[in-house]
Amino acid sequence: MIVFRGAGKRYRPLFRAPVRALDDLTLEIVPGEILGIAGPNGAGKSTLIALLLGFLAPTEGEVRIDGLPPRRYVERHGIGYLSELVAVNPRWRAEQALARYATLAGVPKREVRARVDRAVDELGLAPHRDKRVRALSKGNLQRLGLAQALLRDERILVLDEPTHGLDPLWTQRFRDIVAALRRPDRAILIASHNLDELQRLADRVVILDRGRLQRIVVPGVDAPTGRATYRIVVARGVEELPAVHPGAVALGRGEFELRDVELEELNRVLAAVVARGALVASVVPTRSALERHFREAVGDGAGDGR
């Protein structure tokens, strides 16, 4: 569906050396997939999205959507897009803005009202539909941006920092919306700094740094190896964990941290604790598997791309 073949982008500022924002990206995104895009600031995420939307042309390699250059595909079929910064005329009312975006997107006039009503209901904007955009809170403005991205029911959706500004309730609701949007003929790309959201939502996560693809992770399958820190909650027999593992750090209320342990060691400790009659309520890594992959791939460095 979407193919990057050795795609690269160089910016050539006046009086300065060229900046390589994206370098030799080869990647295929298939129908039915939710792809996460992660990376530090300046890693190349925005350039990748701009190439995909046809805002920029690659200086090396190529990008194709269903065999077409991105700009041609967008002109013929459209792509649902939520930009990182939602910018809407502050004097427009929310409903009016959606109607105008629907018209600009080519929605037939007879369908505009129904599409707007559906988007308003889906994003919980009914109490705000008559408010001017400048009166909307940051979270409601973000939901307005999401609503306009869903107006045409596109086969490709590109969502850049979609949960930015959303409260916990609407962050959870966003997960439900994405789950409902998944279908066999649709590809969804989500660029986010929120690794926990990508861990929950994405089938694969592309990790970029300094304009290069560093790693592709399959959440829930690709477990990083090595030592990690785990948080353990003991519901009964609290004294057994430090007895078995004196290095356990008590956090209070039956909660402990086991720091810098191998997975095999963790399992041995848990087996011994349970054998002594303790009841373990939960065991979670302090960093998600995706976060650990991210740190292994990127480290503490910052990207140099855009």
Side-chain angles (χ1 to χ4, degrees), residues 13 58 105 108 112 131 152 160 166 203 205 228-230 277 298:
V112 167
K131 291 182 181 177
R152 270 184 38 120
D160 195 356
L166 297 185
D203 300 305
V205 178
T229 297
Y230 298 87
V298 174

Side-chain angles (χ1 to χ4, degrees), residues 236-283:
R236 186 181 66 219
V238 172
E239 68 282 356
E240 302 298 346
L241 182 55
V244 170
H245 189 84
V249 178
L251 303 177
R253 297 179 179 271
E255 194 170 353
F256 297 85
E257 269 191 357
L258 264 61
R259 296 174 178 171
D260 195 33
V261 297
E262 297 278 1
L263 191 59
E264 292 81 359
E265 182 182 2
L266 171 68
N267 278 268
R268 287 195 297 270
V269 169
L270 293 174
V273 167
V274 171
R276 292 168 70 112
L279 185 64
V280 177
S282 71
V283 181

Side-chain angles (χ1 to χ4, degrees), residues 40 46-47 57 68 105 162 237-238 275 292 294:
S46 296
T47 300
L68 297 174
V238 172
R292 291 169 62 193
F294 184 87

Side-chain angles (χ1 to χ4, degrees), residues 26-55:
T26 296
L27 176 68
E28 183 174 356
I29 304 156
V30 299
E33 180 174 29
I34 298 176
L35 183 79
I37 305 170
N41 291 331
K45 302 187 299 295
S46 296
T47 300
L48 185 157
I49 290 172
L51 292 176
L52 175 61
L53 296 172
F55 295 161

Side-chain angles (χ1 to χ4, degrees), residues 2-274:
I2 301 170
V3 178
F4 292 81
R5 293 192 187 95
K9 180 64 182 178
R10 289 190 185 189
Y11 296 98
R12 294 181 171 85
L14 287 174
F15 312 117
R16 286 193 295 162
V19 175
R20 186 177 289 277
L22 201 65
D23 187 23
D24 193 27
L25 176 65
T26 296
L27 176 68
E28 183 174 356
I29 304 156
V30 299
E33 180 174 29
I34 298 176
L35 183 79
I37 305 170
N41 291 331
K45 302 187 299 295
S46 296
T47 300
L48 185 157
I49 290 172
L51 292 176
L52 175 61
L53 296 172
F55 295 161
L56 297 174
T59 47
E60 301 98 19
E62 64 177 3
V63 184
R64 291 292 183 268
I65 305 175
D66 282 352
L68 297 174
R71 191 70 247 163
R72 192 175 305 167
Y73 179 90
V74 171
E75 290 169 352
R76 291 186 182 181
H77 307 289
I79 289 178
Y81 174 50
L82 170 67
S83 62
E84 180 177 3
L85 298 176
V86 178
V88 182
N89 189 319
R91 293 173 295 179
W92 291 354
R93 300 188 186 276
E95 182 176 19
Q96 177 189 34
L98 290 175
R100 289 183 173 183
Y101 282 126
T103 300
L104 287 171
V107 174
K109 185 175 181 180
R110 65 183 180 278
E111 297 179 18
V112 167
R113 182 56 184 266
R115 298 281 187 98
V116 169
D117 287 345
R118 184 178 67 184
V120 164
D121 290 342
E122 190 167 19
L123 274 300
L125 291 169
H128 312 288
R129 65 192 307 158
D130 292 324
K131 291 182 181 177
R132 296 196 183 276
V133 169
R134 63 170 171 259
L136 297 178
S137 67
K138 187 175 183 179
N140 288 334
L141 180 60
Q142 186 73 359
R143 284 152 57 191
L144 181 66
L146 278 167
Q148 69 79 27
L150 303 181
L151 284 169
R152 270 184 38 120
D153 199 31
E154 307 284 8
R155 289 181 60 234
I156 297 175
L157 295 174
V158 179
L159 308 177
D160 195 356
E161 298 294 344
T163 60
H164 181 67
L166 297 185
D167 61 29
L169 177 64
W170 270 99
T171 298
Q172 175 62 58
R173 176 66 180 134
F174 171 74
R175 297 172 196 156
D176 297 335
I177 290 171
V178 171
L181 287 170
R182 184 194 288 271
R183 70 187 196 202
D185 66 335
R186 170 179 282 152
I188 302 174
L189 282 75
I190 302 174
S192 180
H193 286 103
N194 189 332
L195 298 179
D196 181 59
E197 285 303 308
L198 295 182
Q199 172 95 22
R200 292 169 182 266
L201 293 171
D203 300 305
R204 294 186 298 158
V205 178
V206 168
I207 299 176
L208 300 174
D209 188 31
R210 297 177 176 87
R212 296 190 66 89
L213 193 161
Q214 301 296 330
R215 189 173 299 192
I216 298 177
V217 179
V218 180
V221 175
D222 293 336
T225 58
R227 309 179 77 85
T229 297
Y230 298 87
R231 188 159 293 183
I232 300 172
V233 177
V234 181
R236 186 181 66 219
V238 172
E239 68 282 356
E240 302 298 346
L241 182 55
V244 170
H245 189 84
V249 178
L251 303 177
R253 297 179 179 271
E255 194 170 353
F256 297 85
E257 269 191 357
L258 264 61
R259 296 174 178 171
D260 195 33
V261 297
E262 297 278 1
L263 191 59
E264 292 81 359
E265 182 182 2
L266 171 68
N267 278 268
R268 287 195 297 270
V269 169
L270 293 174
V273 167
V274 171

